[in-house]
Each structure stands twice: as structure tokens, then as C-alpha cells.
DNA sequence: TGCTATTAGTCCATAATCTGTACATAATCC
DNA sequence: GGATTATGTACAGATTATGGACTAATAGCA
């Protein structure tokens, strides 16, 4: 737990990361601009950039912005040619994979339908492994080198072990050693939040609300996902809306999920798209259901804002198609409850990437790691 | 916002911090043990320790633990002789100051009664400045050198500016330049949490609940205070317990504060000690009030656990004297609502330092800074 | 067109810091 | 008392960043 001292090699590694992060954060820069931003000398930056060029993480050339007088600089930008990340997702009715390059361009995207409810983990993971093999082969055929992978799962994760995924019916499944690559596993909502950070709103501070059968949330503060002590933070679905409300499957009463989970929203309807159809047709009962769910979500988010202090609120999952009918009540409740004490409540916006958030976020996590530790991830 | 590159001097500064942190984290160590823990060589550690010795941050000698065979090492331990931190607090009815040395020993402690409700900030700050002068002079007379100070205030703080302290009646007061020292200002609940971290339970992961007129909370994860996006996280008092409960002064309904704030607990009683007396005497009504408050607190904490995932829960402020009557209902509610899904809920314990938490925490913040940046704080 | 000012990027000697081996020191074990 | 073992220091060597000098490339201006 004690942090390690800085040696010459870790100093170099850190400086590589600092330069790469500066390029990533604010677009292409000349070496001179990078030197100014990082506080390193031009000489040092040149040397670091040379390493990054060789690793294929950056390219030279392209628009040289700004230069008023004097010799124009050479822009150094992230390269999409070589380094790429593998994002994976196991969910209730599908497996998904994607490959994203360092410029955040989605290069490959595959989904395999499968009924994974109460499934055998070994079987599903074999299927996933096949999907990975195909995807990686295809990516390599395009000249990409996969620097690492990450997997999103609908459940709680501790140290690479899937502790509990109620809807899959999995418990204590070891998934970290799925492939021979640097590999991470994390909760769907956390990764969906990262997806929003990398491919959606790109804001550095927000709470992503993932409406599925359960309701999860991922908080991003200063570009980092907040995970809590055991990685269990963000369980919005069981935040209490009414202390003595109806019983919830979690054992509590009056949890948000009871009012605004998928089951509560759909009632007897077969699917979310059916609900949306009815809403579009102006079905009174459907609209009241959404109104009620939205208000409950507003109450739960009031508590979440007081405790987590998010910059804004992004609604995703099933709340994305339902946004037009849910967002109003949510915002009204937040305004009424938060404005007097806090001033303007966080704005409520819709997710821009919908159902792809988690897979993309998984790839985003890997890209984040590459930028944070280029030395380790790229073998420098 | 871009992080700076590592230069030779910052490498040294960082390594000083790493060594000091290792000594702080797990007690006195020999140079050899420090070398092993930090991954640095014995030579480097020797050189770093020499600097720390000269700065007065550590001393040699004392028990040499462990050594089985071979030449015994010289223990290097934190020194209480020279470096010290100044903790300050402005509260509704007092000003407080303390001086704590690097070994966490409280060397000085002063409290000045004063009615600061709806007071003139300038006047109160003048009084505080006098208190600082006296305290610093006294500390220096004991040979201590104050490395920095921190101030706890009952309100929200942004960038050294006190934004809003409803009970003091202050708004947008600039307090950061109170003294000519490295100086920080923060919210009372956050600093009380740090106090608990440094002088109380010393756990690295917990949620400190600060019961006062309002109810605040400070979350510590891995030894760091979580502040949220704007530093407003941890407003436990306005977490919703019952969506359509009674109105709260914040504009919401059914907030925790309505059920378990000081006003709700005391009712017509003049003081907390009066309430405690009645509870000790077995007063039925008082006990029911506490029972009800405890259950409400349990419900709010259920939401907090789902969202923040704390390691344990520490009850402080007025909940400290009331702990015997409040803790039971809190724990019961948590158990009932959390156990089925999460397993054992976080344990609920009483604060060990009571009303001193915030001042001590302010000093703790400074010590934390000294250990994190000995170069800057000690002028190395 | 050519000169000057200005900015970008590289070269190379120098400085700062950590590493690694060798060694003196100081205990325990038998 | 000698062997063993571990601590802490000394010194040469390795790694990395620095800083000033130098080359390169462009715009402005005469």
C-alpha cells in the first residue's frame, strides 16, 4: 500500500504520460507548446515525443495552429494507426465487443445475441473468448495493436472478480484472466459513465444514470470514476424514495427501483419500444407511469446530488428513449428541492450514446490506462 | 489543469514525501526497511533521511524493532520536537485553536466562547487573528515551528472562500489570507472527518456523520476526503427520508434534518445535555424521539451507503452523547435494508473525539500536507 | 529580393539524482 | 572468538533532465 519511490525509469515513464495526457487533453500541440504546458524543456519533450512516435501513439503533421511569426511548429497528435483498445460487455441478452483507436474512433463493433439469464458462466465466457479472438484478429488485420481490454458486467466487481450479478445468476466468477492482455473488469454503470466521458458528453463531472432492470449510476469527478470503498458506490436503484413505501426485492422498502425500474415502467407491456409507441400515441396511463417514475427518480437524485455533488446528470439506458417523458418531472423535482439552498440544480441531459455506453466505456477505460501509463501499456 | 512533468527537483521532493509517508503510515523504520518498502536503494534512503533529519521532521533512535540477527538498525521516527500544525475553528458559539505536532500529539488547545450567530465576519476574524497570534507565540516558545494552518467553518467553501454559512449568517467571505502561512479553509464536516481519521478511529475508510443544528457528513476513502465536484458533497441532512414528508427549511420535504436534526431532537428542551439527562432517567418521550430520529438516520444512511459505499459509519457531533439511544435503531434499519443484497452493512461506531473533531481535523489536514509535500511545507 | 525578427526544434556539455557494488560496522550464534 | 548476518555509508557509474548555442523556417518589412 505504501507508494513506491520515483526512480529514473519511473520519472521517464511519468513524463511520457504527462506529455501524452497534454496532447490528449487539449488536442494537437507543437513540441514547444508541450514544453510550456508540462514545464519540461523543449529538449526533454522532443526526446519523449520521439519515443511516443516510435510506439505509434502519436503522429506528426497536420494543421499547425496559431503560430503568428517565426518558424511554424510541427503538430504532434494522437495516432489512430496503431494503438487500439478492446471493449467488451456481457449482458442479459447479448455479448458485445468493440475496438477503439487512440483518437476515439470506433473501428470495429460486434454484437452477438444470446440469452444469458441464469446461464453457466464457463459457457458464456467461452463464447466471449471466441468473440474476442475474432475481433482481435480482425483488428490486427487492419494493422491495429490491441493494448488492453476491459469487460463490462451487470453486477458488482471486486479485484477482477465478479461478485454478484443477479440477472445473470452469477456469483464469484473470476473473469480477469479472460485474455492474455492487460485486462480489467468493472461494473456496467461505471463503464457506461466512462463511455459518456469518452464518447458522449465528454464532460469531466457528471452522474450517469443507467436505467435497466435495475438502476445503477456512475459518478465521474474530474474525469475519474468514483468507486467508493469496495467498488460498490452508485447503487442509485436502492436509494430510498419513501421510507415506508412498497417492499423491494433488495429487502428494503420504497427504493427507487420499485417506482422507476424497468419492471415498474413496463408493467404488463412487453418492451420499452412498446412503451415508447404508446407514449407517442398519447396513451394516458403510460404517460402517468412515466410522470410518476420521473418524480421518484427526481427524489432519489435529490439525495444523490446532496451526497455526491455531481456536475450534471446524464440519463441513459431505458431512460434514453423515455427521456422526453421522464426528464421534465425529474428536473421539476430537482429544481423544487435543490434550488432554495444550493442555487441552480445540475442540468439533466440525455445520454448521447445510448445502449453502446458500457462497451464503449470499457474501451475508454483502456485508452485512459494507455494515456495514464504509456510506458507499461505500450512497452516503452 | 495539465499536470506538470517530473524534473530532478520534483523527483527528490516526491521521494522525500514517499519516505516520510512510509514512516508515518507504519511507524518507525530503519533505513533498510524504508528502502525495501519504497523500492529505493539504501543509499538514496539514507540521503533522504538526512534531509528530513535536518528539517526536524524525523529523529533517530528509540526502540529498534524486529532485527533477529546482524547489525541492528537505527529507528527513524516522526519527530514531535519541531514541526507543528495549527488547527482553527469558527463555530456558532466559540472560536477554537489547537497546535498539533507531527506525532499527532496535541500540544496546545484553546477555546474562546463567543456568540457568532449572525455576526460581522470582519469582527470575528479579527478575534480569530488575535487567537492565532497568541497560540503561535506560545507554540514558538516551546520550540515548535508552525508549518501551516487550516480553518474549519460551518458552511460551504470554494477555493478558500466561505460561500454560505447559514448559522453564522456569512456569505462570500474571503478567509484564506488570515495569516501569513500556508493556509486552508474547509467545511466543518469534512475536517471533522479528517479529525476522526487522524485522531479518532484512524480507519482509512468511513463516513463521518456530524450532527449539529444541520446534519453534515464527510466521506473518507483510502485516507482521502471525498469532496464532489464543487466541494458540496456530504449534505446528509437533506437526503430524503420520506418523499412527501413534512417541509424542510431547505425547500424540500421529508429531509433527514426534519427528523433527526438538533431542533427535532430537542423539541422544547434547552440543550443536548438536558436531553441526555432525561434519557438516562428513562423518560419515555425522549426515548421515543431518539428512536424515531435513529430510524430516520438509518434510512438516510441506507441511501448514503448505496451511493457512497463507506467502509464504516462514525457518528459524531450531538449523536456522540446520544449514541446509546440512537445507534441501535440506526443499525437495525441498516441491517434490515442492506443485508439481503450487500451482506453485512458497515458497522456503526461512535466518534472518539467528540466536539474537538473539526479543530483537530484542521490540524490533521496540515499534517497531511506536510507529509504529502515535505519539500514545500518545510522548505527543503 | 534580401534582411531582420521571431519562433521551433536539435545538439551537446553539464547538472541532479538515483543505482549498485564494495566496505566498514555491529549485533547474534555457536 | 570466529562465522554469520544485517545495517548504513562511500564512491564510481548510469539515467535523465537542463540550458545555452545553434540550425531551421517563416513573416514582416524595406
Amino acid at each position: 500500500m505504501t507508494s513506491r519511490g520515483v526512480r529514473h525509469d519511473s520519472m521517464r515513464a511519468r513524463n511520457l504520460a504527462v506529455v501524452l495526457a497534454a496532447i490528449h487533453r487539449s488536442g494537437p500541440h507543437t513540441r514547444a507548446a508541450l514544453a510550456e504546458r508540462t514545464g519540461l524543456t523543449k529538449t526533454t519533450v522532443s526526446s519523449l515525443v520521439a519515443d511516443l512516435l516510435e510506439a505509434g501513439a502519436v503522429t506528426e503533421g497536420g494543421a499547425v495552429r496559431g503560430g503568428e511569426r517565426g518558424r511554424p511548429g510541427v503538430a504532434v497528435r494522437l495516432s489512430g494507426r496503431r494503438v487500439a483498445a478492446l471493449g467488451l460487455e456481457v449482458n442479459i441478452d447479448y455479448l458485445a465487443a468493440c475496438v477503439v483507436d487512440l483518437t476515439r474512433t470506433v473501428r470495429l463493433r460486434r454484437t452477438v445475441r444470446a440469452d444469458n439469464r441464469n446461464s453457466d458462466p464457463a459457457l458464456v465466457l467461452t463464447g466471449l473468448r471466441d468473440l474476442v479472438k475474432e475481433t482481435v484478429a480482425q483488428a490486427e488485420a487492419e494493422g491495429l495493436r490491441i493494448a488492453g481490454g476491459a469487460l463490462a458486467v451487470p453486477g458488482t466487481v471486486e479485484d477482477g472478480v465478479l461478485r454478484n450479478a443477479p440477472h445473470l445468476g452469477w456469483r464469484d466468477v473470476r473473469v480477469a484472466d479472460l485474455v492474455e492482455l492487460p485486462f480489467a473488469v468493472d461494473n456496467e454503470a461505471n463503464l457506461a459513465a466512462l463511455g459518456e466521458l469518452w464518447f458522449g458528453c465528454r464532460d469531466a463531472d457528471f452522474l450517469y444514470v443507467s436505467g435497466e432492470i435495475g438502476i445503477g449510476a456512475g459518478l465521474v469527478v474530474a474525469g475519474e470514476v468514483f468507486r467508493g470503498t469496495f467498488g460498490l458506490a452508485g447503487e442509485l436503484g436502492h436509494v430510498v424514495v419513501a421510507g415506508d413505501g412498497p417492499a423491494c426485492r433488495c429487502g428494503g422498502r420504497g427504493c427507487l427501483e420499485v417506482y422507476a425500474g424497468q419492471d415498474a415502467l413496463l408493467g404488463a407491456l412487453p418492451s420499452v419500444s412498446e412503451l415508447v409507441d404508446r407514449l407517442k400515441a398519447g396513451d394516458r396511463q403510460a404517460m402517468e407511469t412515466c410522470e410518476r417514475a420521473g418524480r421518484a427518480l427526481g427524489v432519489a437524485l435529490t439525495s444523490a446530488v446532496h451526497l455526491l455533488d455531481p456536475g450534471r446528470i446524464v440519463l441513459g439506458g431505458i431512460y434514453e428513449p423515455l427521456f422526453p417523458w421522464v426528464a421534465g418531472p425529474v428536473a421539476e423535482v430537482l429544481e423544487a428541492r435543490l434550488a432554495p439552498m444550493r442555487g441552480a440544480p445540475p442540468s439533466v441531459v440525455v445520454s448521447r450514446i445510448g445502449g453502446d455506453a458500457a462497451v464503449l466505456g470499457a474501451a475508454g477505460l483502456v485508452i485512459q490506462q494507455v494515456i495514464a501509463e504509456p510506458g507499461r501499456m505500450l512497452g516503452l
Side-chain angles (χ1 to χ4, degrees), chain A:
Chain A
M1 198 40 100
T2 310
S3 61
R4 311 290 288 175
V6 181
R7 309 166 55 139
H8 281 123
D9 51 355
S10 46
M11 168 162 70
R12 181 83 181 174
R14 174 88 189 112
N15 283 341
L16 278 168
V18 166
V19 168
L20 197 53
I23 297 170
H24 162 252
R25 192 183 308 244
S26 45
H29 284 298
T30 64
R31 290 168 173 80
L34 287 170
E36 192 167 6
R37 281 177 175 255
T38 58
L40 298 165
T41 59
K42 288 187 293 174
T43 313
T44 306
V45 169
S46 282
S47 151
L48 293 164
V49 166
D51 279 11
L52 292 172
L53 278 169
E54 195 177 6
V58 300
T59 359
E60 280 181 322
V64 187
R65 46 159 253 85
E68 289 82 37
R69 272 189 301 236
R71 170 178 168 179
V74 180
V76 178
R77 60 184 63 234
L78 293 180
S79 163
R81 293 279 183 78
R82 186 129 125 234
V83 181
L86 176 67
L88 299 170
E89 180 180 1
V90 172
N91 217 317
I92 295 163
D93 45 5
Y94 62 88
L95 302 178
C98 69
V99 172
V100 175
D101 68 32
L102 267 195
T103 66
R104 309 195 205 191
T105 307
V106 180
R107 302 291 291 266
L108 295 171
R109 181 76 183 75
R110 300 209 46 185
T111 306
V112 179
R113 295 269 138 210
D115 184 4
N116 298 326
R117 275 172 204 261
N118 301 312
S119 54
D120 175 9
L123 219 62
V124 174
L125 290 181
T126 305
L128 187 62
R129 203 171 284 124
D130 291 346
L131 179 59
V132 168
K133 266 186 203 146
E134 281 177 46
T135 313
V136 169
Q138 213 173 330
E140 281 172 352
E142 292 192 26
L144 297 172
R145 214 188 116 246
I146 305 292
L151 170 64
V153 290
T156 53
V157 177
E158 255 181 275
D159 300 323
V161 178
L162 173 55
R163 285 288 171 225
N164 186 10
H167 303 301
L168 297 178
W170 296 10
R171 270 191 172 270
D172 296 313
V173 179
R174 164 135 215 102
V175 273
D177 39 9
L178 190 70
V179 284
E180 327 71 59
L181 280 170
F183 197 78
V185 193
D186 204 347
N187 173 270
E188 192 193 14
N190 285 342
L191 289 179
L194 263 182
E196 203 60 45
L197 171 68
W198 281 80
F199 303 96
C201 69
R202 296 197 179 190
D203 209 327
D205 302 280
F206 61 90
L207 181 72
Y208 176 86
V209 178
S210 159
E212 303 287 341
I213 295 179
I215 303 170
L219 179 71
V220 175
V221 177
E224 297 282 335
V225 174
F226 170 77
R227 291 188 161 78
T229 307
F230 308 110
L232 302 178
E235 266 297 337
L236 189 68
H238 301 284
V239 165
V240 180
V241 169
D244 46 7
C248 174
R249 67 184 170 87
C250 77
R253 315 182 64 81
C255 301
L256 173 63
E257 199 169 303
V258 174
Y259 302 93
Q262 184 172 303
D263 294 348
L265 275 162
L266 293 188
L269 297 179
S271 69
V272 174
S273 56
E274 174 66 27
L275 175 58
V276 172
D277 288 345
R278 298 216 177 184
L279 288 164
K280 281 186 181 156
D283 181 310
R284 178 68 63 94
Q285 200 194 333
M287 291 176 81
E288 271 170 17
T289 305
C290 279
E291 166 92 20
R292 201 165 52 243
R295 278 202 306 270
L297 185 52
V299 171
L301 284 173
T302 300
S303 294
V305 170
H306 279 305
L307 290 172
L308 300 171
D309 185 27
R312 60 167 61 192
I313 293 168
V314 180
L315 299 185
I318 62 169
Y319 299 132
E320 188 233 323
L322 298 175
F323 190 82
W325 298 275
V326 165
V330 169
E332 267 167 41
V333 172
L334 288 178
E335 174 71 27
R337 288 179 174 262
L338 292 170
M341 220 183 82
R342 291 213 164 200
S347 59
V348 178
V349 301
V350 67
S351 163
R352 294 207 204 160
I353 47 176
D356 285 354
V359 225
L360 291 178
L365 177 65
V366 176
I367 297 183
Q368 200 171 50
Q369 290 171 341
V370 170
I371 287 169
E373 293 183 87
R376 188 169 68 80
M377 300 291 285
L378 305 178
L380 282 175

